[in-house]
Amino acid sequence: MPAAPQIGETTALRLLALALVPVASLVFYLSMSPFAGDPCYHQFADARPLLGIPNFLDVLSNLPFLLVGLVGIRAWIRQPPSEAPLSWLTFHLGVAGVAIGSSYYHLNPFDATLVWDRLPMTLGFVGLSLAMIAEAVHPSFDRHPLFPALLLAFASVFYWYLMHDLRLYLWVQTLPLLLIPAVLVLFPDRYTHQSYLIYALILYAGAKLTEANDRQIFELLGGQVSGHTIKHLLAAGACCSIVLMLQRREPTPRRELLTAVDG
């Protein structure tokens, strides 16, 4: 009977380095004191109503999430990714769900409605994180950890809401931002068009920056568009970049999985 493939030393070290990303980031957040977030978070700069809709532009700017999510779901139905179909579907559903949850939240911003904004966001975070790991390491990561990871992600939202502690939710939110560069460095040349992941990271970083400067941007632009509205557009652009990558990429000859023998 032929011997089972062995994991080479180089691959083992890369897997260890990848495993340290979620572990070290979780330890980092848990080492912080519990915090509930900015008490003024719900006071967005642009509260102008239009057509009877309060906070109109912050609501309307969620529409791109729905379009990107539906495009991703449509492409998934036509040709699901072979190694991480469940995780990628979770990502697409999360992106589409953000449009609904965030719109609902911005109609009446306070903690109870923010729950329904953050829940679909965790779908996207978990889906993207596990898809990256499944494609870099082994397709089994698309199946076994998905349900427990979603439970943990949902629990992080309700833990914040009930206990007024954001640490676990921020860890779930940060994880794909750490895993994407880690996978690109540790497991390169898996697919073509990986630069789209870098574009997504840049756009998402821009989204967080404009979110943090909501009122300053609103005043700078003469009270026409707020930083939070721009944040929605940039974050949807980040999701669009990932969907475009999935549609255009091809496997590369040097793509590696855990089942391959590393010399």
Side-chain angles (χ1 to χ4, degrees):
M1 179 180 296
Q6 301 297 311
I7 301 174
E9 181 179 354
T10 303
T11 296
L13 290 173
R14 286 186 290 178
L15 292 175
L16 177 60
L18 186 63
L20 285 174
V21 172
V23 173
S25 56
L26 178 59
V27 170
F28 170 77
Y29 278 113
L30 293 182
S31 68
M32 302 169 63
S33 299
F35 64 98
D38 186 353
C40 299
Y41 180 79
H42 305 302
Q43 299 175 13
F44 299 105
D46 189 359
R48 294 173 298 169
L50 185 64
L51 303 175
I53 300 174
N55 311 307
F56 179 76
L57 285 183
D58 281 348
V59 173
L60 182 65
S61 56
N62 284 292
L63 181 60
F65 287 110
L66 182 61
L67 298 177
V68 172
L70 291 178
V71 168
I73 293 170
R74 182 171 179 265
W76 185 93
I77 292 173
R78 290 185 170 185
Q79 188 174 2
S82 59
E83 290 165 355
L86 295 178
S87 297
W88 282 122
L89 178 59
T90 300
F91 170 74
H92 297 316
L93 290 172
V95 173
V98 166
I100 300 171
S102 183
S103 295
Y104 175 67
Y105 163 64
H106 281 287
L107 288 171
N108 185 20
F110 69 111
D111 280 358
T113 54
L114 184 56
V115 168
W116 302 105
D117 183 6
R118 287 179 169 170
L119 283 175
M121 289 175 65
T122 61
L123 276 177
F125 298 144
V126 168
L128 179 58
S129 298
L130 288 181
M132 296 294 297
I133 295 173
E135 292 183 345
V137 179
H138 196 276
S140 62
F141 281 90
D142 181 57
R143 301 184 297 274
H144 307 307
L146 182 58
F147 183 67
L150 287 174
L151 284 180
L152 177 61
F154 291 164
S156 74
V157 176
F158 289 109
Y159 182 77
W160 154 73
Y161 181 65
L162 296 173
M163 305 302 294
H164 308 291
D165 185 359
L166 267 174
R167 292 177 299 167
L168 191 56
Y169 172 75
L170 287 180
W171 175 65
V172 173
Q173 185 184 61
T174 303
L175 204 49
L177 307 180
L178 301 174
L179 284 172
I180 288 175
V183 166
L184 291 178
V185 171
L186 295 169
F187 299 88
D189 299 322
R190 298 170 303 117
Y191 289 95
T192 62
H193 293 87
Q194 286 191 316
S195 58
Y196 282 75
L197 290 169
I198 303 299
Y199 305 152
L201 287 176
I202 294 172
L203 286 168
Y204 193 76
K208 301 305 291 184
L209 183 64
T210 54
E211 178 185 34
N213 295 277
D214 179 35
R215 189 164 298 279
Q216 294 91 325
I217 292 173
F218 188 61
E219 294 173 355
L220 182 66
L221 297 179
Q224 297 302 309
V225 181
S226 72
H228 200 87
T229 295
I230 297 173
K231 174 246 185 172
H232 287 163
L233 301 178
L234 291 175
C239 298
C240 182
S241 183
I242 293 172
V243 170
L244 288 174
M245 177 199 71
L246 291 173
Q247 291 179 340
R248 298 177 181 182
R249 70 181 186 174
E250 297 289 342
T252 62
R254 294 177 58 192
R255 195 170 131 266
E256 297 173 305
L257 294 173
L258 181 62
T259 50
V261 178
D262 191 318

